[in-house]
Amino acid sequence: MPEFYFSGFEDRKPPAPVPYSISRELLWQFFATINLSIGAWYIIWRWQHSLNYEALWFAIPLVIAETCAYVGLILFAVNLWAVRDARETPPPQVHECLHSPGEFLPEKLTIDVFFPTYDEDPELVRFSIRDAKKITYPHPADILIHVLDDGNRPAMKAVAASEGVNYISRTTNVGFKAGNLQNAMKQTCGEFILICDADTRPFPTILEHTLGYFRDPHVAWVQTPQWFYDIPEGTPLHQILQKRLGKPGYLIGRGVEKIFGPVNIGQDPFSNDPQMFYDVIQRRRNWANASFCCGAASVHRREAIQLMALRNRGLELEGLTKKFEEAEAGLLKQFRRFETKFIKAASGITDREYRANFSKAMTEVWQKNRETVRKSIRHSAYDVNLFFLENPVPYKHHVSEDMYTSLILHAEIASADTRSKWRSVLHPGIESKMLSTQDLLSWTIQRFKYAGGTLDVAWRERHRLFKNGLSLAQKLMYGATFWSYIGCLWNVVFLCAPIIYLFTGVPPVSVYSTDFFKHFFPFIIANTLAMMVGTWGVSAWSGQSTYLSFFAVNLKAIRTIMRNERRQFPRIKTDLPGVCIRGNRREEIVIRDMSRFGMFGASGLQIELNSPKKPDVGDELTLTFDPDNKKHASVREDVIVRNISGNRIGVEYKPRNEEKIKFTVTPKIRQEKNFVKLVIPQITVIVLTLVGILYAGIMWYLGYREDIVALLANTFWGSYNIIALSGIVRAAFWKPGSE
């Protein structure tokens, strides 16, 4: 086998989960309560007594940002409130985890191990296959390994054959990873499914340590923490100082490390370590039954996925049936109008015999066409119903199919008799190892996919947060996830606020007085203590700095989602002037209808074009119009002609591939490129802050500013932002061995 960069990390051992401590949990809950109470006191005071009424354009956005951040703090505290690990039970036999009273049970369990892949190196996947072949189970069980190759590659097929595992491929890539999993489920039959990524290397004990949770018939899936064993460990501070300063540097480095603990320069440059996410955030959602699936290294009960698919198909079928009924009703309404018109036309014929023949002929035409169209609609409905019943979709075709499926399953009823809901479990122990992103481009692709997918799920399934299905605790947990991704909106305010003050001298508060610091410092101190205890045993700074520094990625995700939704949910009835461009032709049009047309809801427009030369179905047009009747808000859309009726033309928005949240496979090898352009927003903030500090300092020195307290406060604030953003900037220049 070829040598990979991670070959030297094979002996690394995963960290153990943070031990549970009831005393530490009670201390955290005490500090969290104090923190939220002081925070509420601070926010109320900010709104009532501290606004700078001479600069409300600055003061209002900042206090709104602080309020939104406080809401996020409440959700985070609820998330971290308690650790309630599910009781780990011994690995079950067939009758202990498959509950089918009075029905046939197999002699032994069958577990399918899925390795979905697309363009990863087949030799890299071989590592994963070989580790999966080492999985053991103490009871009789068939562990079947399947390579799901969406790339349909002969080399991958050869690797699967040489390793003696099943190879599954398909002719299309519909649905990306979700479609790949769906296709595999149709060709396999194991009672449980272990889902891995192409680079996921499961430990031999993964099934032995997770299947015990399925003794509970309502457990739908078990997620295990993902561990990236290739994260750079960095170089100890004392070694770097010794190399540069000799013996004095070594002594200084050792002294610093004795005070602050081990300091490794260049450690985890991309903040890939997921321990905070799994060991703190996900683990502490067990008490609320809200730990969601993250895809790789998770075990699923097939029955739960299939029942969810059938129920969702039922709901979709119900919706389509309603659309067909509405279409038929609309057709009858149109025929009645037609009947009224021809009766009125016939009444104008003076010859009685001719009038009778005309009425008879028109009635026959009307009835014949009505029945023909009605039969066509009903046959279409039957065909669609049959298709939906024969093709249930186990996984949502979505870039974040794992979270999407989790949200739906958490809202589903597992047992009609007990009305119990499906349950999820976050198993705290690490049961596999994976590869992390090794460059900023791969990191950005991955984070954009996470952010865009999560925000898209939040928008599409927002009704579940406000209606029955999820419990209140589950709604708060999912709400915390969604809220965290829109935090970039107020993070931008926090990054810009000190810059605005440093350049203008305009403070967002009425005065940086003793009263301000009397409210501000207790909140900051309480928050620091609460977070220190709440995340004990896990480094919190990396998460805090990353949360602030990838504001640009999240803003791009929000922009993409909003642009797509604007295209999918436009206004209905309109009368807007516009221009149609066909080659060199520019023609006046009127937008008559901005609606969803077609059986499956394609987004589009209906335009009126008074031109003797009409376009053909399938032609591409460019439309320019103003959705708000304001000249400065014109919109330019590329569309495809779908149907033509007289002067009315139905067009569909042409897909914009670059604007969609797409499933992009995260590269598993380092991309050798210049990544500075990816951190231009962060560099801009850093440079503006540094220049602002210098400028404000000069202005104070020359006597143009007098408030030294305000200057120091904003200098400290800006410096904090610089330190937080500097990590991702350094990552743009990081190379293996550069630490």
Side-chain angles (χ1 to χ4, degrees):
M1 294 179 66
E3 282 289 321
F4 288 92
Y5 76 91
F6 52 81
S7 300
F9 309 143
E10 293 294 324
D11 295 332
R12 290 183 178 178
K13 303 299 181 183
V18 177
Y20 173 69
S21 168
I22 182 64
S23 58
R24 187 170 63 246
E25 181 172 279
L26 291 174
L27 186 62
W28 143 248
Q29 292 173 353
F30 170 76
F31 278 123
T33 303
I34 297 298
N35 183 33
L36 294 179
S37 300
I38 296 177
W41 172 60
Y42 169 76
I43 293 296
I44 292 172
W45 174 82
R46 283 283 286 116
W47 278 100
Q48 293 182 346
H49 304 290
S50 71
L51 298 181
N52 182 359
Y53 288 97
E54 296 181 359
L56 290 179
W57 59 271
F58 187 14
I60 294 297
L62 180 58
V63 75
I64 290 176
E66 289 181 280
T67 305
C68 291
Y70 177 70
V71 172
L73 181 64
I74 295 174
L75 294 173
F76 192 66
V78 172
N79 190 153
L80 268 60
W81 190 251
V83 178
R84 295 293 181 270
D85 291 331
R87 187 170 65 90
E88 187 175 347
T89 58
Q93 299 188 51
V94 173
H95 66 279
E96 295 172 319
C97 60
L98 299 181
H99 302 270
S100 303
E103 297 182 9
F104 171 78
L105 287 177
E107 294 182 358
K108 55 184 177 180
L109 289 174
T110 300
I111 301 99
D112 292 315
V113 183
F114 287 171
F115 285 101
T117 177
Y118 176 62
D119 61 359
E120 294 86 355
D121 188 330
E123 292 301 325
L124 184 147
V125 182
R126 190 192 294 271
F127 281 97
S128 302
I129 295 172
R130 288 185 174 180
D131 280 0
K133 290 166 68 174
K134 299 176 184 177
I135 295 176
T136 60
Y137 197 70
H139 304 299
D142 286 331
I143 302 174
L144 308 178
I145 302 171
H146 311 274
V147 175
L148 320 181
D149 184 18
D150 244 9
N152 206 9
R153 296 161 293 167
M156 190 70 257
K157 185 175 183 179
V159 167
S162 66
E163 294 296 334
V165 299
N166 188 32
Y167 177 82
I168 299 175
S169 64
R170 53 184 182 147
T171 57
T172 68
N173 301 118
V174 175
F176 304 108
K177 181 179 177 181
N180 199 2
L181 293 172
Q182 174 191 346
N183 178 62
M185 284 194 66
K186 292 179 180 179
Q187 303 182 48
T188 57
C189 59
E191 294 85 17
F192 298 97
I193 301 171
L194 169 59
I195 296 180
C196 302
D197 280 348
D199 62 319
T200 303
R201 299 173 60 179
F203 295 162
T205 57
I206 186 169
L207 295 179
E208 183 179 346
H209 290 168
T210 56
L211 286 187
Y213 296 110
F214 290 99
R215 290 173 180 268
D216 181 344
H218 299 143
V219 170
W221 76 88
V222 176
Q223 177 69 55
T224 67
Q226 297 176 2
W227 173 55
F228 302 126
Y229 69 105
D230 63 338
I231 292 178
E233 295 180 328
T235 304
L237 177 64
H238 68 272
Q239 291 184 12
I240 293 179
L241 293 181
Q242 182 181 23
K243 183 178 180 180
R244 297 182 179 180
L245 303 176
K247 188 64 178 285
Y250 174 83
L251 296 175
I252 293 173
R254 278 298 189 187
V256 171
E257 289 175 335
K258 284 186 177 181
I259 298 174
F260 297 100
V263 178
N264 292 329
I265 306 301
Q267 182 181 27
D268 192 12
F270 304 105
S271 300
N272 280 323
D273 190 350
Q275 188 177 13
M276 169 66 78
F277 177 70
Y278 287 103
D279 211 1
V280 177
I281 296 175
Q282 281 273 67
R283 183 180 179 185
R284 299 192 193 185
R285 293 187 175 193
N286 275 336
W287 70 267
N289 186 29
S291 173
F292 57 82
C293 175
C294 300
S298 59
V299 185
H300 299 251
R301 187 190 296 271
R302 181 183 290 264
E303 176 192 6
I305 301 172
Q306 290 179 328
L307 285 177
M308 178 204 70
L310 289 172
R311 285 171 179 166
N312 284 335
R313 276 308 198 194
L315 292 175
E316 293 176 4
L317 188 57
E318 182 181 341
L320 281 176
T321 302
K322 186 177 180 180
K323 286 185 177 181
F324 281 120
E325 291 174 350
E326 291 174 352
E328 185 175 356
L331 176 68
L332 292 175
K333 188 175 181 180
Q334 290 182 9
F335 275 123
R336 291 192 188 100
R337 290 177 180 173
F338 174 73
E339 182 181 18
T340 301
K341 288 182 179 180
F342 88 70
I343 290 175
K344 184 178 180 180
S347 64
I349 301 175
T350 56
D351 186 279
R352 179 178 298 178
E353 182 178 356
Y354 180 67
R355 183 171 65 242
N357 291 335
F358 176 80
S359 299
K360 181 180 179 181
M362 294 302 292
T363 300
E364 290 177 355
V365 171
W366 168 59
Q367 291 179 344
K368 182 180 179 180
N369 280 278
R370 183 185 66 175
E371 291 304 316
T372 299
V373 177
R374 288 180 68 180
K375 287 180 181 179
S376 177
I377 289 177
R378 289 178 178 177
H379 279 302
S380 297
Y382 174 79
D383 292 340
V384 171
N385 291 355
L386 186 62
F387 171 81
F388 268 55
L389 290 174
E390 292 180 348
N391 296 274
V393 181
Y395 293 95
K396 282 283 186 179
H397 286 186
H398 193 269
V399 65
S400 292
E401 85 289 335
D402 38 24
M403 171 177 274
Y404 214 144
T405 301
S406 301
L407 180 60
I408 294 174
L409 273 174
H410 275 143
E412 291 282 346
I413 296 175
S415 171
D417 297 333
T418 62
R419 306 295 293 178
S420 298
K421 297 292 184 70
W422 287 114
R423 294 186 59 244
S424 63
V425 174
L426 189 283
H427 172 71
I430 294 172
E431 300 293 343
S432 64
K433 58 184 181 181
M434 302 175 64
L435 300 178
S436 65
T437 54
Q438 291 291 302
D439 60 83
L440 193 61
L441 176 61
S442 302
W443 181 90
T444 303
I445 291 172
Q446 186 181 70
R447 296 299 171 130
F448 178 71
K449 185 171 67 176
Y450 291 164
T454 302
L455 291 171
D456 194 58
V457 171
W459 175 257
R460 293 175 183 272
E461 298 296 323
R462 59 192 182 279
H463 62 281
R464 296 185 187 273
L465 297 179
F466 303 101
K467 295 183 179 180
N468 294 333
L470 297 175
S471 67
L472 176 60
Q474 287 174 324
K475 291 177 181 179
L476 290 174
M477 296 298 181
Y478 278 105
T481 299
F482 301 147
W483 192 261
S484 69
Y485 278 103
I486 63 173
C488 58
L489 298 175
W490 42 91
N491 281 343
V492 169
V493 178
F494 295 144
L495 291 170
C496 293
I499 297 174
I500 293 173
Y501 171 79
L502 292 170
F503 279 106
T504 66
V506 177
V509 296
S510 56
V511 62
Y512 285 96
S513 62
T514 304
D515 196 32
F516 171 81
F517 292 107
K518 182 180 70 176
H519 289 82
F520 177 75
F521 279 128
F523 180 36
I524 291 299
I525 293 172
N527 185 64
T528 302
L529 289 174
M531 292 302 107
M532 181 179 66
V533 177
T535 61
W536 190 268
V538 179
S539 174
W541 167 250
S542 176
Q544 294 173 11
S545 60
T546 304
Y547 179 65
L548 188 63
S549 62
F550 66 63
F551 69 94
V553 175
N554 286 4
L555 284 176
K556 181 181 178 182
I558 292 175
R559 172 180 172 272
T560 304
I561 296 299
M562 297 309 296
R563 286 179 67 90
N564 287 341
E565 294 308 320
R566 175 184 64 79
R567 293 158 62 85
Q568 293 178 9
F569 299 96
R571 294 183 295 128
I572 302 299
K573 296 179 180 179
T574 62
D575 187 16
L576 304 174
V579 175
C580 172
I581 303 173
R582 290 191 282 163
N584 296 326
R585 298 167 61 94
R586 292 176 62 88
E587 300 166 312
E588 299 292 327
I589 60 171
V590 178
I591 309 294
R592 294 299 186 189
D593 186 17
M594 301 174 69
S595 61
R596 306 185 78 182
F597 65 90
M599 183 187 306
F600 296 102
S603 301
L605 306 169
Q606 185 185 85
I607 64 175
E608 182 177 312
L609 175 61
N610 295 311
S611 172
K613 184 175 177 57
K614 297 292 190 297
D616 296 323
V617 173
D619 283 358
E620 296 184 5
L621 312 175
T622 299
L623 307 182
T624 302
F625 60 94
D626 171 18
D628 298 314
N629 289 320
K630 297 177 182 177
K631 295 298 182 182
H632 63 272
S634 62
V635 172
R636 184 184 178 94
E637 295 285 359
D638 294 324
V639 299
I640 303 173
V641 176
R642 292 306 186 198
N643 57 65
I644 302 174
S645 177
N647 292 335
R648 299 293 178 97
I649 302 174
V651 298
E652 180 183 359
Y653 291 124
K654 185 178 178 181
R656 294 181 179 176
N657 294 331
E658 70 277 10
E659 290 184 350
K660 293 182 179 179
I661 301 297
K662 301 183 292 183
F663 186 93
T664 305
V665 178
T666 304
K668 300 298 187 295
I669 59 174
R670 175 173 169 78
Q671 309 296 298
E672 297 290 346
K673 297 179 182 178
N674 188 323
F675 305 115
V676 176
K677 64 179 182 179
L678 297 176
V679 292
I680 288 177
Q682 291 83 357
I683 292 176
T684 302
V685 173
I686 291 174
V687 171
L688 287 176
T689 304
L690 288 173
V691 173
I693 292 173
L694 178 62
Y695 174 78
I698 294 174
M699 296 296 287
W700 174 81
Y701 179 78
L702 296 177
Y704 291 102
R705 295 188 187 177
E706 299 179 354
D707 194 346
I708 185 62
V709 176
L711 174 59
L712 292 175
N714 283 274
T715 298
F716 177 81
W717 187 358
S719 300
Y720 174 87
N721 291 342
I722 290 173
I723 294 172
L725 297 180
S726 62
I728 193 172
V729 174
R730 289 196 305 271
F733 300 94
W734 180 86
K735 293 182 180 180
S738 63
E739 65 271 17

